[in-house]
Amino acid sequence: MDNIAGRKPAVVWATQISAAVLVILWLLPTVGLLISSFRSADQIAGSGWWQSIFPQEQNIMIRAKSAADQTQEGALYVIEGNLFEQEGLDQGEISAWGTSSRAIAAYTSGQTADLGNKGRLSVQANGDYRFENNSEFSGKRGQRVFLTSVSPPNFTLDNYKNVLFSDGGDGMAKAFFNTLTVTIPATIIPILIAAFAAYALAWMDFKGRALLIAFVVGLLVVPLQLALIPLLKFHNSIGIGKGYLGVWMAHTGFGLPLAIYLLRNYMVGLPKDIIENARVDGATEFQIFIKIILPLSFPALASFAIFQFLWTWNDLLVGLVFLIDSTGDTTIMTRQITELLGSRGGNWEILATAAFVSISVPLAVFFFMQKYLVRGLLAGSVK
Amino acid sequence: MKKSLMTGVAALALISSGATAQDLKGEVITVSGTWLSSEAEIIESVFDLFEEKTGATVKYVGSDSFEQQIQIDAEAGSAPNIAVFPQPGLAAGMASKGFLTPLKPQVSDWVKDNYAAGQSWVDLGSYADANGDKQHYGMFFRVDLKSLVWYSPENFEDAGYEIPESMEELKALTDQIVADGETPWCIGLGSGAATGWPATDWVEDMMLRTQAPEVYDAWVDNSMPFNDPKVIEAVEEFGWFARNSDYVSGGAGAVATTDFRDSPKGLFASPPQCYMHRQASFIPAFFPEGTVVGEDADFFYFPSYESKELGNPVLGAGTLFAITNESEGAHALIEFLQDPKAHETWMAQGAFLTPHKGVDLSAFETDAERAMNNILLGATTFRFDGSDLMPGGVGAGSFWTGMVDYTSGKSAEEVTADIQASWDSLK
């Protein structure tokens, strides 16, 4: 690389800059999602995430305390407090305020508004207010105060609490372990089967091998939705019904074509000499597979394992059809998350947060096995 | 003698209720539906009552892809005992394939006698079975009221506006708000894959306010074509509100892209982005946190034309329980829904309306809901959401997309002709 850099710095620069641009483009939505996951639903609806990281001027409405909180000072009835503290907001800087939705900036901070027989209200820049009246305050709801204020960024951990610990945390914890129960066997079983099949298709001579390979490759284009009802009918008729065994088998079936194709392409690229040497030395096919092919194919195995793990982890459809029965005893994380979204799917803040909760395990797997992923991706493509 | 007879009857009643309690001990009844999170907790609290009463166990599973899943499960033979359908169209489709079990005849009689406008609820729950014979499959439980306009009473007070009593007044108020330099309406049609549905409610409400109920029925079952001048008139009535940039927050161009869940938030913005929002009774779920219905927000009946003498028509929708996998427990659960307690349990937890005439109205969580239920019970004409009754390809397809096209500028004639064409292609 060094000497190339010495010769063609412009090309290197161009690649690096375009790589950086691509990385930023790819990361931007993720960063937005991450920031949104720390904002409340009303904040998300009110302004974009890019605005939330800077102090911003905003118009909000906060109610003063209600008549129930009034105190008596001599002949005066008084309601006092701080608008920001009441709402649990960080201290902002009020520039203008008003008491009517038609004149939201009628007064500047420090001024006193005379509301006739409703009393006199003054609001300070830091949100402190004093509402006084000669007669007793009445009414259930407090006076509305419309503020124009500059507020510091305000973030919350409530969404994470909601996702992780709603119904005492049982739901999500149970779903987490259920998801692991689905994904780990659903990753291992197809690899076991595919490795044997791939070896046979790559190195064992038999009639119709090419046709069989073509058939397996052809299966790659079959959409799995096509098989949902027939397969479930089949599971019901042989007595598996809905359950873990069913979902493992379904994931295995849906994952096998790609697994076989990927592993076979990799194994075919292994040096022929080694295998022929082993055959000459009297090794059986099984010994060749175990002692030579498997260790050499490790990158391809690992990369397929990552793929399979990722999509069984993120899967909702197959889980819904083959695992989750109408008793509701089994659930998986993806379903738990859609349930949190609510009947009309409007809880964006939950969506953003849940995305980060459910991404955590795949991310860990990815970073742990990253080098195999790249090597495996190149499997068969570069010889 | 008389006294002993009475005790005898009481004892018999006790025995019979005790008998059902024992019958169902250990039986598991599975239910699936679209209610999730907080609504799922509420329906489970209703089922708790049933469990106490009978000793059976009810397992409820909610899913946001219920519509697809129930069909897969029914086809494959692993359907739950009871499915809670969000609208009749899907239930009718499943009935025609023979996946539903008819309710017992006494249930139909009971609904007829005990629901307000009982016969219409039986009709809405009756579909043709696999042989083409009409049978009663669906028991309605939980109704939504659609003909409501939401507003902020304090904003009305600040501006000095009165609640309109007729459509003429509503239009005059709309013009007055514009004259005051403000925006009267928040309208949002966005809803992911279902974008456009809020506009279908508008058009249906307008149909009921410009035409007789019989015309509405003819429109819904397509004995009157979709591009009839009467329908075009109703669509244009909606257009009067939605296609005028002065009338709608964000301008007419924003109507189709604004999410219906975000749209009502404009009522509570500072300064208000709009003053009125027409939406069904469920919408307070999407008001900003801490909004109290009846104080921060309130509603009025979407008024009818004073000049047209069509009474006070009301548009509604509802969810229905149907048996997808017959068992004794499933029938018992349907029977349990006749118990006023089942209705009152949900009423006390909010966002629940019922046509059941025997419920204790004081069980409602808020006065606002009591008032809504009174609109429902006092309607001179009640009609079910037409798009839910039309075939899925129209009512949950071309009608939605057509209304999006209409708000984006296509003419009402063109849009309705397209929708009729899509209906013809389904026949």
Side-chain angles (χ1 to χ4, degrees):
Chain A
M1 274 308 266
D2 282 339
N3 52 356
I4 297 172
R7 250 181 281 154
K8 291 177 183 170
V11 175
V12 174
W13 272 109
T15 9
Q16 283 179 347
I17 289 172
S18 48
V21 168
L22 281 176
V23 166
I24 291 170
L25 266 181
W26 271 99
L27 272 183
L28 204 62
T30 319
V31 172
L33 209 59
L34 181 65
I35 293 172
S36 296
S37 73
F38 290 103
R39 307 181 72 206
S40 72
D42 292 343
Q43 285 175 316
I44 292 175
S47 62
W49 59 267
W50 55 93
Q51 292 172 314
S52 71
I53 33 184
F54 307 106
Q56 50 173 330
E57 190 178 87
Q58 55 181 2
N59 294 319
I60 47 175
M61 188 276 283
I62 299 177
R63 280 181 192 279
K65 287 182 193 161
S66 69
D69 292 314
Q70 63 188 319
T71 52
Q72 209 170 352
E73 290 178 13
L76 285 178
Y77 293 87
V78 179
I79 298 174
E80 271 182 318
N82 183 291
L83 294 170
F84 295 112
E85 276 171 26
Q86 261 169 243
E87 294 288 304
L89 297 173
D90 289 335
Q91 200 82 28
E93 178 85 18
I94 298 172
S95 55
W97 60 279
T99 56
S100 160
S101 57
R102 280 300 170 87
I104 61 163
Y107 310 97
T108 54
S109 52
Q111 273 189 319
T112 302
D114 191 350
L115 304 177
N117 58 5
K118 276 160 102 187
R120 294 172 297 281
L121 176 67
S122 58
V123 178
Q124 309 302 325
N126 65 0
D128 284 340
Y129 66 91
R130 182 182 166 87
F131 197 14
E132 51 184 43
N133 201 350
N134 300 333
S135 54
E136 206 174 336
F137 288 102
S138 60
K140 264 199 279 183
R141 304 289 279 171
Q143 170 69 38
R144 299 197 296 176
V145 183
F146 294 88
L147 305 176
T148 306
S149 72
V150 177
S151 296
N154 184 20
F155 296 105
T156 168
L157 281 172
D158 285 355
N159 299 336
Y160 284 91
K161 273 188 210 148
N162 194 353
V163 167
L164 292 175
F165 305 113
S166 62
D167 14 290
D170 291 353
M172 200 45 96
K174 189 176 147 201
F176 178 81
F177 288 109
N178 283 350
T179 305
L180 281 181
T181 317
V182 172
T183 46
I184 293 174
T187 308
I188 293 171
I189 301 171
I191 290 182
L192 280 181
I193 301 175
F196 281 109
Y199 173 71
L201 291 175
W203 290 108
M204 287 167 76
D205 255 327
F206 56 90
K207 244 187 180 172
R209 188 175 72 166
L211 264 181
L212 203 58
I213 294 169
F215 178 68
V216 169
V217 173
L219 280 179
L220 278 175
V221 300
V222 178
L224 68 91
Q225 288 85 343
L226 210 64
L228 293 183
I229 292 177
L231 200 54
L232 184 58
K233 263 187 183 161
F234 174 69
H235 282 187
N236 281 336
S237 67
I238 61 171
I240 298 177
K242 287 183 160 199
Y244 286 114
L245 187 57
V247 79
W248 293 335
M249 283 173 51
H251 273 309
T252 303
F254 295 136
L256 268 183
L258 182 71
I260 295 174
Y261 172 70
L262 208 82
L263 293 180
R264 185 221 159 243
N265 274 11
Y266 189 88
M267 287 178 186
V268 135
L270 294 174
K272 204 177 175 188
D273 309 350
I274 308 176
I275 293 148
E276 279 174 356
N277 277 344
R279 283 209 177 113
V280 169
D281 288 348
T284 61
E285 294 287 355
F286 189 69
Q287 281 171 325
I288 296 172
F289 175 69
I290 295 287
K291 299 231 164 100
I292 298 173
I293 301 288
L294 269 193
L296 284 176
S297 311
F298 188 69
L301 293 175
S303 87
F304 175 74
I306 294 173
F307 279 131
Q308 179 76 2
F309 181 82
L310 286 185
W311 72 58
T312 49
W313 183 271
N314 288 328
D315 162 75
L316 175 63
L317 181 69
V318 175
L320 276 179
V321 174
F322 294 102
L323 175 64
I324 297 167
D325 57 14
S326 44
T327 62
D329 291 336
T330 42
T331 181
I332 48 177
M333 270 178 88
T334 39
R335 207 195 83 88
Q336 198 70 17
I337 289 166
T338 49
E339 183 159 323
L340 282 173
L341 286 180
S343 300
R344 290 184 182 83
N347 307 350
W348 297 115
E349 76 287 4
I350 296 292
L351 192 69
T353 313
F356 275 91
V357 170
S358 79
I359 215 176
S360 55
V361 171
L363 263 190
V365 169
F366 177 78
F367 283 122
F368 187 64
M369 304 181 81
Q370 193 187 16
K371 58 179 180 179
Y372 301 116
L373 187 69
V374 179
R375 249 194 271 172
L377 273 178
L378 299 174
S381 63
V382 190
K383 285 186 185 171
Chain B
M1 182 61 205
K2 199 172 184 188
K3 197 182 164 198
S4 69
L5 191 73
M6 291 288 277
T7 44
V9 169
L12 204 70
L14 269 178
I15 290 165
S16 64
S17 66
T20 46
Q22 267 160 7
D23 279 347
L24 295 175
K25 193 142 251 163
E27 187 163 338
V28 178
I29 302 155
T30 53
V31 181
S32 73
T34 52
W35 292 318
L36 292 171
S37 61
S38 58
E39 285 171 321
E41 280 164 30
I42 296 174
I43 192 66
E44 275 161 14
S45 75
V46 174
F47 290 150
D48 285 346
L49 271 182
F50 176 73
E51 292 179 347
E52 265 169 44
K53 229 175 133 178
T54 60
T57 313
V58 181
K59 302 253 187 183
Y60 172 77
V61 178
S63 164
D64 70 330
S65 52
F66 167 81
E67 281 92 340
Q68 292 80 36
Q69 225 184 321
I70 189 71
Q71 296 189 64
I72 293 175
D73 278 340
E75 295 267 5
S78 49
N81 293 119
I82 288 184
V84 187
F85 291 94
Q87 35 110 335
L90 181 61
M94 298 225 358
S96 69
K97 288 184 198 154
F99 292 138
L100 302 188
T101 308
L103 303 178
K104 292 182 175 161
Q106 58 262 39
V107 177
S108 318
D109 294 339
W110 183 89
V111 171
K112 244 179 257 173
D113 296 338
N114 292 286
Y115 271 14
Q119 185 61 46
S120 65
W121 290 111
V122 174
D123 293 344
L124 286 168
S126 301
Y127 320 109
D129 64 9
N131 303 323
D133 300 324
K134 219 159 198 192
Q135 305 219 47
H136 187 213
Y137 289 104
M139 162 94 180
F140 277 85
F141 181 75
R142 193 184 191 210
V143 175
D144 274 326
L145 192 58
K146 302 234 171 193
S147 309
L148 299 176
V149 179
W150 296 86
Y151 71 106
S152 158
E154 283 160 308
N155 287 351
F156 263 48
E157 200 181 299
D158 284 344
Y161 299 142
E162 297 286 329
I163 290 169
E165 300 284 334
S166 67
M167 186 60 81
E168 287 88 348
E169 282 179 36
L170 181 67
K171 287 187 167 178
L173 175 63
T174 301
D175 282 327
Q176 192 198 335
I177 295 176
V178 174
D180 291 349
E182 304 276 339
T183 313
W185 292 92
C186 275
I187 304 175
L189 306 187
S191 178
T195 294
W197 73 259
T200 67
D201 289 357
W202 270 91
V203 172
E204 288 152 14
D205 252 335
M206 285 306 182
M207 274 301 282
L208 289 172
R209 276 157 188 74
T210 53
Q211 303 297 336
E214 296 73 41
V215 178
Y216 180 89
D217 296 337
W219 171 56
V220 168
D221 63 22
N222 207 26
S223 47
M224 176 181 82
F226 207 109
N227 53 346
D228 191 275
K230 290 171 185 158
V231 185
I232 292 173
E233 187 194 337
V235 172
E236 279 170 348
E237 284 279 340
F238 162 61
W240 189 88
F241 292 98
R243 279 178 51 158
N244 187 329
S245 283
D246 290 338
Y247 290 172
V248 194
S249 170
V255 168
T257 51
T258 306
D259 196 281
F260 84 96
R261 295 162 279 228
D262 295 334
S263 177
K265 294 191 168 87
L267 293 172
F268 310 100
S270 163
Q273 285 163 13
C274 59
Y275 283 79
M276 293 178 281
H277 179 67
R278 198 218 70 95
Q279 189 51 279
S281 50
F282 65 77
I283 198 68
F286 299 105
F287 289 169
E289 231 180 295
T291 307
V292 181
V293 175
E295 287 168 3
D296 302 313
D298 212 341
F299 62 88
F300 56 83
Y301 167 69
F302 187 56
S304 50
Y305 279 101
E306 212 170 7
S307 54
K308 300 216 174 183
E309 309 213 337
L310 288 166
N312 290 332
V314 167
L315 186 72
T319 46
L320 62 134
F321 280 60
I323 298 175
T324 37
N325 198 348
E326 192 174 14
S327 75
E328 206 181 323
H331 281 291
L333 185 62
I334 296 282
E335 204 176 303
F336 166 72
L337 296 178
Q338 303 173 0
D339 189 335
K341 284 228 174 61
H343 298 250
E344 285 158 11
T345 306
W346 197 329
M347 280 156 73
Q349 300 180 68
F352 182 89
L353 302 178
T354 177
H356 194 316
K357 290 187 289 195
V359 296
D360 178 8
L361 292 178
S362 65
F364 275 114
E365 193 190 24
T366 61
D367 291 337
E369 273 158 28
R370 201 165 304 124
M372 275 187 230
N373 213 60
N374 282 336
I375 293 180
L376 189 68
L377 295 175
T380 53
T381 311
F382 179 86
R383 280 297 179 272
F384 202 84
D385 186 339
S387 60
D388 283 354
L389 300 173
M390 293 172 187
V394 178
S398 58
F399 196 179
W400 290 349
T401 51
M403 292 323 293
V404 173
D405 291 343
Y406 176 67
T407 50
S408 323
K410 239 179 168 181
S411 77
E413 286 82 4
E414 230 178 305
V415 167
T416 50
D418 287 350
I419 299 172
Q420 180 58 38
S422 77
W423 203 327
D424 291 336
S425 70
L426 287 174
K427 280 177 185 168

